[in-house]
Amino acid sequence: MLPLSAVAQERENHWLDRFDPRLRLLCALLFALTTVSLQQLPLLLACLLTGLLLAWQSGLRTGALLRRLLMLEGFMLLLLLTLPFTVPGESGFSIGPLSASWEGLQRALQILLRANTVVLVLLGLVGTLEPVTLGHALGQLGLPDKLVHLFLLSVRYVGVLFQEYRRLRTAMRARAFVAGSNRHTWRSFGWLLGMLLVRSLERSQRVLKAMKCRGFHGRLFLLNENRWQPRDSLVLLLVTLGCAYLLLLERTL
C-alpha cells in the first residue's frame, strides 16, 4: 500500500480540498460509526454504494483503489469461507460433514459490507489528505499533542529509516550475502535489525538536538491554521442528518 503522501499526490486541486480537513475527518468518523451500527443488509449495501461513489469522486485511480482493497478482500474471503460453518443456526447447505448456517452467512456478509464501506470512506476522505495536513487537523480536533507529534515525526522519518535499511541491505549484498533458510541467514537478519535500531536511535538523538537548537521545548506549533467555513457546518449537519436517518431506518425495518 502506498503512503498517504503518494495517495494525495494522485489528485490535485480536487473539489474535496476546498473543505476543511477537520470536516472530512468528522464525516468519515460519523459514517464509519453509523455503518458498523447497522444490521440490515439493504442498508449496508446502500452504504457500500455510497462509499464507492465517494471513493470514485475523490479522484483516486481505479487501479490504485483496487490494489488497496485487494489485501482486505483476501481476509474477507477467508471470513466468508469459515464463518458460515462456525455460527450456529438454521442449516443452509452442507459440505461433507460440515454444515453451514444462514445466520453465519448473513453475519459474514454484514462484516464484508461494513469493512469495505469503512475502508472506501477512509480512502476517499482521509487517505487523500497530505500527511502534514492530516496531522494538523488531528491536533486542531483536540487529540493529545504527543500523539500528533508522534504521527508527524513518523511520517517525516519513516522514509529516512527505509533508506537506511536499503543501504544496509546493499552493504550485505556487496559482501556476497544470499538469503536462505539457514542459521547464518537468520543471524545476519538479526544483526541487520539490530544495526537498524541502533542507527535509528542515533538519528533520533541527533534530530532531538537539532530541534532543541531551534527552540523546541516539548510542543510543536501548528502553523497551518485551517479555517472552518459556514459551508463546512452545513455539510456536517447534512451528514449527521443522513446518518441519523440510516439509524432510524435500521429500527423501523
Side-chain angles (χ1 to χ4, degrees), residues 128-142:
T128 51
L129 287 172
E130 285 289 345
V132 176
T133 303
L134 177 58
H136 282 73
L138 292 174
Q140 292 165 355
L141 284 175

Side-chain angles (χ1 to χ4, degrees), residues 105-237:
L105 181 59
Q106 181 180 5
R107 186 168 301 178
L109 290 175
Q110 290 174 349
I111 297 175
L112 173 67
L113 294 175
R114 289 171 185 162
N116 281 275
T117 301
V118 172
V119 169
L120 287 170
V121 170
L122 290 177
L123 284 176
L125 292 179
V126 182
T128 51
L129 287 172
E130 285 289 345
V132 176
T133 303
L134 177 58
H136 282 73
L138 292 174
Q140 292 165 355
L141 284 175
L143 264 70
D145 290 338
K146 291 184 179 180
L147 291 179
V148 176
H149 297 170
L150 180 62
F151 174 78
L152 292 174
L153 291 174
S154 298
V155 168
R156 170 62 181 85
Y157 288 101
V158 66
V160 176
L161 296 181
F162 181 69
Q163 293 296 328
E164 188 67 34
Y165 165 78
R166 293 183 61 180
R167 283 195 292 269
L168 291 173
R169 288 286 287 136
T170 302
M172 294 174 66
R173 286 193 293 267
R175 290 163 176 80
F177 172 77
V178 178
S181 181
N182 50 63
R183 185 175 180 180
H184 172 69
T185 298
W186 296 115
R187 185 188 298 114
S188 300
F189 279 126
W191 282 109
L192 170 65
L193 293 177
M195 183 58 65
L196 183 62
L197 289 175
V198 170
R199 295 195 177 186
S200 301
L201 178 60
E202 293 177 348
R203 182 175 291 274
S204 67
Q205 293 174 348
R206 294 197 301 269
V207 171
L208 179 60
K209 292 179 180 178
M211 293 173 65
K212 288 183 176 180
C213 289
R214 290 160 176 80
F216 177 75
H217 53 83
R219 183 173 184 270
L220 293 176
F221 293 95
L222 305 179
L223 301 178
N224 184 17
E225 292 291 341
N226 300 312
R227 294 185 178 181
W228 187 273
Q229 303 291 337
R231 62 186 178 190
D232 298 322
S233 300
L234 178 60
V235 172
L236 182 60
L237 176 61

Side-chain angles (χ1 to χ4, degrees), residues 35-76:
T35 301
V36 299
S37 301
L38 298 177
Q39 300 286 339
Q40 301 292 334
L41 291 180
L43 295 179
L44 289 173
L45 183 59
C47 291
L48 178 62
L49 294 177
T50 303
L52 283 171
L53 179 62
L54 181 61
W56 175 59
Q57 287 293 322
S58 66
L60 289 175
R61 298 176 183 175
T62 304
L65 181 61
L66 292 178
R67 287 195 300 271
R68 291 173 178 81
L69 290 175
L70 186 60
M71 292 184 290
L72 173 66
E73 302 310 328
F75 176 74
M76 291 294 106

